Amino acid sequence: MDILQKVLSLCKRRGLVIQSAEIYGGAKSLYDFGHLGFLIKENIKEFWKQSLLFSDESIFFIDGSILLPFPVFKASGHIDCFTDPLVDCKECKIRFRPDKVEKELGELKCPSCGSKNISDPRLFNLMFRTTLGPVDQLEEILTFVLQNSSKSKEEILKDLQEQILKSSVFLRPETAQNIFCQFMNLTKSYPRKLPFGIAQIGRAFRNEITTEKFLFRVAEFEQMELEFFVKSQDENFYFDYWLDKRVTWWKKIINSDSNLRIREYSQNELAHYAKRCCDIEFKFPWGFDEVEGVASRSDYDLLAHARASGKDFFVLESSEQRGGQVKIVPWVIEPSCGLTRAFLAVILDAYSEEPGVDAEGQEKVRTVMKLKPFLAPYKAAVFPLVKNEELIKLSKLIHDELKRRRLYSCVEENQSIGKRYAKHDEIGTPFCITVDFNSLKDESVTVRDRDSTEQVRCHWKEAVDNVVSLCQMPA
Ligand code: ATP
């Protein structure tokens, strides 16, 4: 079994991530996060949020709506350009992206049946479309067709498509557009001098043609995006600044630096408005692949919305040359991080198999999720050695103290100690605290470290202090 498969089955077994609607056969690219998966994801999110709130830069947040109307995405270019090429295999009828499959001697081959009988590529828009309000689209379509029956079939289709698009709302394919659209409102309420940033964490949706590799490419995912507004002359400086900051952030959630790298886009890969773009890549089991993009987007987005809405988009800056204040359109540096992909990268990086022994002393593989302690769902698990009222009472007291110190933890009293260790190794609990009969005499406990399996004996209050300090979120 490859590592992706192993991590996928661990996620299901321990309830971290489960396929959505599994009882009905599951939806291929939709997943639900269970309690522990949710907690890991929230910890990553919190770390991102804190890294911006407490940074040296002036950054504020927005939580924008997921559904947005047609003009937003017409102006942003998503209606016309947010497409991927799509081909059909004429033999087995599957659809796939020709740019994402390996070619045989330059020829396209179906990834499912191997046939070379493939249709010509056509462009497929990745946005999900729906309607807002009590609209019966079928009725509208019928009325439209009847009213235009003198036109040719092609003309009706073209006009109808345009009509439907214009009256639709779309599930945003990225969070950024809320920020650009609200730029003037937000900067009025929260006036800042350049440079400053507006950040957002939220869901984005893409009707991806190829969904595979577990959480890597899914239809519904979360993004953590920062739009950092600068003077045009500062673009290069802040591009390097944010790239460096974002890589540093990644190094704090990933154990092994060699699992990360930066890939700079060549000139012909760049969007026409982009000045520079780098992907931060993680070493997935299939090779290095993007987890975050850092792009210099010039003034493209603000000007696009200014043109389309007829509104003025600017910030006021004082000018020594001209005296007084001048209006300028800021440029944007955008670090765009996929939270769902970050979660996958974090658990793949943390997954480890090590030699171990089972409860009977037999050699066996120990599966450990070596999550950074601040990302782990439980920071500690407290075990009464056996089911004894006094041991359980002291365990609960320790648990209460951990709760009071705002460390999420649990008491586990079922199963053998070995099985309890194995479970908490798999879900990444960094510390297991065992309460035994000596604990009742001198209040000492045994603290086992998840990664080294080393055990130390100390007073339970010292154990709590240590867990608190070792699970701190890094600055
Ligand atoms: P890719 O080339 O892999 O499709 P992208 O370049 O289109 O990604 P961006 O538009 O730059 O991605 O989005 C920013 C981030 O959002 C990506 O780095 C990734 O982490 C995340 N992301 C994008 N699409 C998906 C998806 N379908 N599922 C999960 N995460 C995604």
Side-chain angles (χ1 to χ4, degrees):
M1 219 196 306
D2 71 10
I3 176 161
L4 190 66
Q5 209 51 44
K6 286 180 180 172
V7 166
L8 202 151
S9 70
L10 187 152
C11 280
K12 185 174 174 210
R13 189 169 66 249
R14 297 292 181 193
L16 272 70
V17 184
I18 319 153
Q19 209 170 26
S20 301
E22 207 203 30
I23 53 165
Y24 298 108
K28 216 172 131 209
S29 59
L30 298 174
Y31 290 92
D32 295 332
F33 282 77
H35 182 61
L36 299 179
F38 163 78
L39 289 173
I40 298 171
K41 181 160 67 69
E42 288 303 302
N43 290 337
I44 300 173
K45 196 190 272 187
E46 186 61 27
F47 184 47
W48 188 82
K49 193 178 94 193
Q50 293 205 11
S51 75
L52 298 186
L53 274 181
F54 301 119
S55 79
D56 296 332
E57 302 306 328
S58 171
I59 290 165
F60 58 99
F61 278 72
I62 167 180
D63 186 9
S65 73
I66 284 168
L67 287 172
L68 289 166
F70 171 82
V72 173
F73 297 114
K74 182 67 186 167
S76 68
H78 285 89
I79 295 283
D80 298 317
C81 303
F82 197 59
T83 51
D84 275 338
L86 164 74
V87 292
D88 295 86
C89 169
K90 291 184 182 166
E91 298 299 329
C92 74
K93 311 288 180 225
I94 72 149
R95 292 176 156 180
F96 59 96
R97 271 176 70 171
D99 56 329
K100 291 280 175 192
V101 295
E102 278 178 31
K103 304 205 172 51
E104 197 176 272
L105 300 169
E107 232 188 320
L108 206 53
K109 208 175 86 175
C110 171
S112 172
C113 73
S115 164
K116 291 184 181 165
N117 192 3
I118 308 292
S119 73
D120 287 336
R122 60 186 186 282
L123 291 176
F124 177 76
N125 195 296
L126 302 188
M127 279 195 295
F128 288 99
R129 187 172 55 76
T130 185
T131 50
L132 199 61
V135 183
D136 182 344
Q137 259 198 341
L138 274 181
E139 200 181 305
E140 282 202 341
I141 291 170
L142 184 64
T143 314
F144 186 90
V145 173
L146 291 175
Q147 280 171 354
N148 291 274
S149 55
S150 58
K151 292 183 187 166
S152 73
K153 191 179 140 196
E154 286 72 29
E155 271 179 317
I156 297 180
L157 192 64
K158 191 168 161 276
D159 292 351
L160 186 58
Q161 273 170 343
E162 208 176 302
Q163 171 113 345
I164 290 177
L165 274 183
K166 282 185 179 162
S167 61
S168 295
V169 291
F170 298 83
L171 274 80
R172 61 184 182 191
E174 59 176 26
T175 62
Q177 294 309 321
N178 303 81
I179 298 178
F180 297 131
C181 289
Q182 293 287 18
F183 183 78
M184 290 311 287
N185 283 329
L186 291 172
T187 49
K188 216 168 167 186
S189 310
Y190 308 95
R192 307 279 153 122
K193 289 272 163 234
L194 292 173
F196 65 85
I198 308 179
Q200 183 171 202
I201 302 173
R203 296 210 175 224
F205 301 79
R206 296 184 188 180
N207 198 1
E208 299 276 5
I209 297 166
T210 326
T211 50
E212 65 222 296
K213 300 166 185 161
F214 192 23
L215 295 170
F216 183 78
R217 194 178 297 288
V218 281
E220 177 174 348
F221 54 99
E222 283 173 276
Q223 287 186 320
M224 307 188 291
E225 293 195 300
L226 167 68
E227 306 304 324
F228 195 71
F229 298 95
V230 301
K231 291 179 186 163
S232 59
Q233 63 268 31
D234 294 336
E235 177 231 356
N236 259 327
F237 173 83
Y238 280 108
F239 183 90
D240 292 334
Y241 175 86
W242 279 108
L243 183 60
D244 184 58
K245 268 204 136 184
R246 294 303 305 142
V247 172
T248 307
W249 182 91
W250 274 97
K251 286 183 178 167
K252 290 179 185 166
I253 62 169
I254 296 291
N255 288 308
S256 166
D257 287 1
S258 62
N259 278 344
L260 292 168
R261 74 171 190 196
I262 297 172
R263 187 181 77 82
E264 173 124 28
Y265 281 41
S266 61
Q267 279 302 315
N268 56 13
E269 278 182 283
L270 287 175
H272 65 93
Y273 51 81
K275 298 292 169 241
R276 268 180 86 187
C277 187
C278 282
D279 281 348
I280 300 174
E281 297 187 329
F282 173 77
K283 195 176 182 182
F284 287 98
W286 56 90
F288 277 99
D289 222 331
E290 173 183 346
V291 281
E292 173 161 351
V294 179
S296 171
R297 301 179 60 93
S298 69
D299 50 7
Y300 172 81
D301 304 276
L302 291 184
L303 284 183
H305 286 296
R307 262 195 305 274
S309 65
K311 304 260 179 346
D312 215 4
F313 277 60
F314 61 88
V315 290
L316 286 173
E317 289 287 321
S318 39
S319 160
E320 274 176 31
Q321 264 175 346
R322 294 202 227 158
Q325 292 204 306
V326 287
K327 284 181 178 179
I328 63 168
V329 182
W331 279 34
V332 176
I333 307 296
E334 178 194 69
S336 171
C337 176
L339 173 59
T340 315
R341 264 189 212 175
F343 173 91
L344 179 61
V346 161
I347 54 173
L348 280 166
D349 172 78
Y351 183 89
S352 158
E353 289 176 357
E354 312 204 329
V357 283
D358 65 15
E360 283 78 46
Q362 299 290 316
E363 277 183 23
K364 65 168 283 222
V365 174
R366 188 172 80 95
T367 304
V368 201
M369 195 68 93
K370 293 186 169 177
L371 295 168
K372 298 271 180 162
F374 76 100
L375 296 179
Y378 293 120
K379 308 304 184 213
V382 191
F383 302 160
L385 184 65
V386 289
K387 272 195 181 172
N388 166 285
E389 221 174 278
E390 290 304 305
L391 296 189
I392 292 173
K393 200 167 144 204
L394 179 55
S395 299
K396 287 191 173 155
L397 183 78
I398 298 171
H399 183 218
D400 283 345
E401 180 58 13
L402 285 161
K403 278 201 283 189
R404 202 185 62 77
R405 309 274 292 265
R406 282 288 177 266
L407 276 204
Y408 192 61
S409 53
C410 61
V411 177
E412 293 266 7
E413 37 181 274
N414 294 322
Q415 297 191 308
S416 69
I417 284 282
K419 286 214 168 108
R420 282 181 267 175
Y421 280 153
K423 172 184 165 185
H424 281 275
D425 282 347
E426 273 202 0
I427 60 174
T429 309
F431 304 103
C432 291
I433 301 172
T434 302
V435 175
D436 55 28
F437 290 102
N438 280 335
S439 313
L440 301 179
K441 290 183 211 143
D442 60 5
E443 301 198 321
S444 70
V445 289
T446 303
V447 184
R448 173 185 178 270
D449 178 275
R450 173 197 68 197
D451 298 346
S452 66
T453 72
E454 264 169 33
Q455 306 196 6
V456 291
R457 193 86 193 166
C458 61
H459 193 281
W460 70 261
K461 285 186 179 161
E462 192 187 332
V464 170
D465 283 345
N466 287 339
V467 175
V468 170
S469 79
L470 292 167
C471 292
Q472 288 285 315
M473 190 167 280

